[in-house]
């Protein structure tokens, strides 16, 4: 199978057609029998998954080879990809898909293409950070020193005077209990409503600690979804840009998505 010539990225996206010969090629690339995804008489339902270019959900038991099937499809797509600045986006909760590609396809041209621009393979958090939250934070004057929930929570707590920490502790709160829920630093409790009204000194001082910690460049993992949502709310044109940049999306282990993650992926793609 020869790779298609790159096309002008101003043209309308056309997904490559996948044939049975392409599937046999991918099987050989993965050191599997030629009919690994086709069955003895080409009745294996996995070939329908490999050929499909529509929205599709794949459900199967653990260890049944879903990630291997995904890697085979990605290898075919990478080999036939025509676009210089548009790529395939592959998201998961862990880097399992990326590791599988590195392990199974790392020595192949198709595998190396998947691991570089214009494609993206990584976690949902990494995608949100790179393409939405971090650029938006920097544009608003917030530096990025570290994205780490435990460290960010500790720095927020340390910025509070003893009297405000004591007030929170009396409400059974500690450094891990404080949450922000929007880009204006509205406060919430980890599991429930923040126990002080917005006009109280305790609320205002905790809010100030969260703002100052962000200005120092320290952020919680989940805060990045807040900033991503703030970007899409204030600059909705970014959605069309991302859809054009990544005309194909694969989500591995989609059942593990939180409601927040599912919502932002639905809005983006």
């Amino acid at each position: 199978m020869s790779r298609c010539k790159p096309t002008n990225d101003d043209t309308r996206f056309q997904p490559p057609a996948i044939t049975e010969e392409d599937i046999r090629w991918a099987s050989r690339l993965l050191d599997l029998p030629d009919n690994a995804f086709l069955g003895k008489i080409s009745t294996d339902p996995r070939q329908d998954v490999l050929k499909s270019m529509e929205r599709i959900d794949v459900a199967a038991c653990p260890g049944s080879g879903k990630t291997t099937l995904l890697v085979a499809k990605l290898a075919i797509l990478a080999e036939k990809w025509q676009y210089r600045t548009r790529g395939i986006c592959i998201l998961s909760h862990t880097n399992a898909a990326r590791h599988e590609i590195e392990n199974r396809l790392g020595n192949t041209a198709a595998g190396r293409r998947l691991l570089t621009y214009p494609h993206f393979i990584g976690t949902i958090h990494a995608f949100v950070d790179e393409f939405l939250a971090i650029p938006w934070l920097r544009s608003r004057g917030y530096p990025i020193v570290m994205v780490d929930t435990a460290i960010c929570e500790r720095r927020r707590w340390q910025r509070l005077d003893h009297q405000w920490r004591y007030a929170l502790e009396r409400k059974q709160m500690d450094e891990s209990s404080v949450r922000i829920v929007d880009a204006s630093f509205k406060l919430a409790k980890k599991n429930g409503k923040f126990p002080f009204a917005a006009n109280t000194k305790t609320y205002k001082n905790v809010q100030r600690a969260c703002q100052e910690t962000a200005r120092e460049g320290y952020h919680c993992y989940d805060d990045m979804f807040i900033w991503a949502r703030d970007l899409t709310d204030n600059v909705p044109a970014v959605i069309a840009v991302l859809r054009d940049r990544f005309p194909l999306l694969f989500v591995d282990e989609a059942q593990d998505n939180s409601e927040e993650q599912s919502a932002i992926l639905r809005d983006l793609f």
Side-chain angles (χ1 to χ4, degrees), residues 25-245:
W25 171 85
S27 299
R28 293 191 294 270
L29 196 68
L30 295 172
D31 294 323
L32 298 172
D34 273 18
N35 65 347
F37 299 114
L38 295 171
K40 293 183 178 179
I41 54 174
S42 295
T43 57
D44 193 314
R46 288 177 296 180
Q47 70 170 303
D48 296 330
V49 175
L50 289 170
K51 291 179 178 179
S52 175
M53 286 299 163
E54 305 298 325
R55 293 184 182 180
I56 185 171
D57 291 329
V58 178
C61 64
S64 58
K66 295 186 295 295
T67 301
T68 299
L69 184 68
L70 172 61
V71 169
K73 182 161 187 168
L74 292 173
I76 296 170
L77 289 171
E79 186 69 12
K80 305 184 81 168
W81 200 252
Q82 303 178 51
Y83 300 93
R84 294 186 179 91
T85 60
R86 290 174 178 159
I88 305 166
C89 185
I90 306 102
L91 304 178
S92 187
H93 291 270
T94 68
N95 280 306
R98 185 177 186 89
H99 293 156
E100 186 85 3
I101 290 170
E102 289 174 339
N103 293 335
R104 304 291 294 273
L105 300 174
N107 294 324
T108 69
R112 288 192 294 273
R113 282 194 290 271
L114 284 169
L115 296 169
T116 59
Y117 179 87
H119 309 297
F120 179 88
I121 306 176
T123 64
I124 295 172
H125 277 90
F127 176 83
V128 167
D129 288 357
E130 181 173 341
F131 292 97
L132 297 164
I134 289 177
W136 185 237
L137 279 165
R138 285 176 173 155
S139 75
R140 293 192 53 169
Y142 293 101
I144 307 296
V145 174
M146 186 176 296
V147 180
D148 185 289
T149 297
I151 292 174
C152 180
E153 289 173 345
R154 192 176 311 123
R155 294 183 74 90
R156 288 172 177 173
W157 193 256
Q158 290 169 346
R159 279 196 157 273
L160 291 171
D161 291 340
H162 173 75
Q163 61 178 318
W164 311 123
R165 292 201 297 266
Y166 178 68
L168 293 174
E169 287 167 348
R170 290 188 63 187
K171 297 291 185 179
Q172 289 74 54
M173 293 185 68
D174 58 21
E175 64 187 46
S176 67
S177 303
V178 177
R179 293 287 184 272
I180 64 169
V181 297
D182 62 24
S184 66
F185 294 90
K186 181 180 178 181
L187 299 177
K189 189 178 177 181
K190 183 177 182 180
N191 295 305
K193 184 180 178 181
F194 196 75
F196 296 91
N199 62 347
T200 63
K201 290 183 178 180
T202 301
Y203 187 103
K204 291 177 180 178
N205 276 277
V206 175
Q207 189 176 53
R208 173 190 54 77
C210 292
Q211 290 173 320
E212 290 178 353
T213 301
R215 290 193 190 103
E216 290 179 332
Y218 294 87
H219 310 274
C220 293
Y221 294 120
D222 289 344
D223 294 351
M224 306 306 273
F225 286 90
I226 293 172
W227 295 109
R229 178 65 67 188
D230 191 54
L231 169 59
T232 58
D233 287 346
N234 284 279
V235 192
V238 75
I239 295 174
V241 172
L242 278 176
R243 288 178 183 175
D244 186 68
R245 172 74 168 77

